[in-house]
Amino acid sequence: MKIVDLSRELYHRTPSYPGHPPVIHGVWKTHEESFAESGNVHGLASMFISMVDHAGTHIDAPRHFGKSGISIDQYPLEKCIVPGICIDLRHIAPRAEITPADLEAVVTKAGVAVPRGGTVLLCTGHHERTFPGKEYSTDNSGVNVAATEWLAQQGVVHFGIDSMRPGPEGKVNALVHKACLDLDITHIESLCNLEALLGHGRFTFIGLPMKWRGGTASPIRAVAVFDM
C-alpha cells in the first residue's frame, strides 16, 4: 500500500483565503512550565490553534453554499472515502476558466474513467507554481459552471483542486459555489502534491472532516491510497 499526502501544512500565519482571519498557532504551555506546575513530576507541553473552518486543505460543506445545505458535522462520511482519479490541467493558463471540453480531453488522454460515486482531483499546477507567494491567493485557474455541471453528470460526489477556490477569482467562482449546492456535490480546496498522482491511475481518496457543529467546512488530512 502506498499513501500520498495531498494536504497543505498548517502553521502560524499560513496563507489563508483573502478576507478570512489568519491561522494563529502558538505555545499554550511549555514542558518547563508544566514541569514546575506539577511539582517537578513531569512536564506536558501543549499548543493552541485559532482558525476559520476553511483553513488549509479543506472540504466545503453544502451549508457554505446556502442556508438549505447541510453542515459539515452532518456530511456523510461515506463520501469521504471514495475512488478517485487525478487529471492534468497544468496547460491551462492562470486565471483561465476550465471548460467541459478541457475536462473531457484530459480524461480521455489519461485513459481512466471518472469513477461514479467518487472524486476527480484537478492538477492545475497552481500550488506548485505559486505557494506561498501572493499569487497563490489570486492567480488560479478553475472550473466554470458548465464544467462543474459536467463533473456532476459523471456522478462524482465532489472534486478537488490545488488552489484556494474551485473557480477563477470573481463572479465565476461564486457561481460555481452556487452550482455545487444546486447539483448536490461539493469540492475540496487547497490540495497539494497532485503532480505525484498523475499517470498512476485510480486510487482511494480519503479526506475526513472534523465534527464541527454547524460548520461550513472543515480542514482535512487528504490522502490518496494506492493498492488499498
Side-chain angles (χ1 to χ4, degrees):
M1 183 173 67
K2 178 182 179 182
I3 298 177
V4 181
D5 191 356
L6 309 176
S7 310
R8 273 180 46 200
E9 182 184 22
L10 285 172
Y11 53 89
H12 184 65
R13 297 281 180 174
T14 185
S16 56
Y17 194 85
H20 280 185
V23 172
I24 304 297
H25 189 210
V27 175
W28 180 254
K29 188 164 292 185
T30 66
H31 287 100
E32 291 76 15
E33 291 168 338
S34 179
F35 184 72
E37 290 177 2
S38 71
N40 300 335
V41 175
H42 190 61
L44 302 171
S46 54
M47 303 186 76
F48 68 92
I49 188 166
S50 171
M51 61 183 178
V52 69
D53 52 4
H54 294 260
T57 302
H58 66 275
I59 186 169
D60 281 359
R63 176 68 54 84
H64 177 53
F65 312 141
K67 292 182 179 179
S68 63
I70 60 172
S71 55
I72 199 64
D73 54 310
Q74 299 173 325
Y75 189 72
L77 296 182
E78 292 81 4
K79 294 183 178 182
C80 300
I81 305 176
V82 295
I85 64 169
C86 185
I87 55 178
D88 191 354
L89 294 158
R90 290 176 293 177
H91 58 286
I92 304 294
R95 295 180 177 265
E97 295 181 23
I98 298 169
T99 68
D102 294 323
L103 296 177
E104 289 176 359
V106 296
V107 168
T108 299
K109 183 177 180 180
V112 183
V114 173
R116 297 194 68 84
T119 192
V120 175
L121 306 185
L122 312 179
C123 179
T124 70
H126 181 70
H127 181 277
E128 180 81 7
R129 286 192 300 264
T130 65
F131 190 85
K134 62 181 182 179
E135 297 84 6
Y136 180 71
S137 66
T138 57
D139 288 3
N140 64 286
S141 61
V143 292
N144 58 21
V145 170
T148 305
E149 292 171 341
W150 185 89
L151 288 164
Q153 290 164 4
Q154 310 314 303
V156 301
V157 295
H158 48 62
F159 64 94
I161 195 165
D162 51 358
S163 59
M164 283 185 168
R165 58 182 67 82
E169 185 180 24
K171 183 178 180 179
V172 171
N173 182 60
L175 291 173
V176 167
H177 279 75
K178 180 180 182 299
C180 284
L181 179 63
D182 296 339
L183 296 164
D184 193 29
I185 63 173
T186 188
H187 53 258
I188 296 161
E189 300 168 357
S190 293
L191 291 163
C192 64
N193 201 29
L194 295 185
E195 291 81 3
L197 306 181
L198 296 174
H200 293 288
R202 188 177 289 202
F203 49 83
T204 298
F205 175 84
I206 302 175
L208 293 166
M210 291 185 280
K211 200 171 184 178
W212 271 349
R213 183 187 299 177
T216 66
S218 173
I220 59 174
R221 187 65 179 266
V223 298
V225 184
F226 291 92
D227 302 320
M228 186 173 179

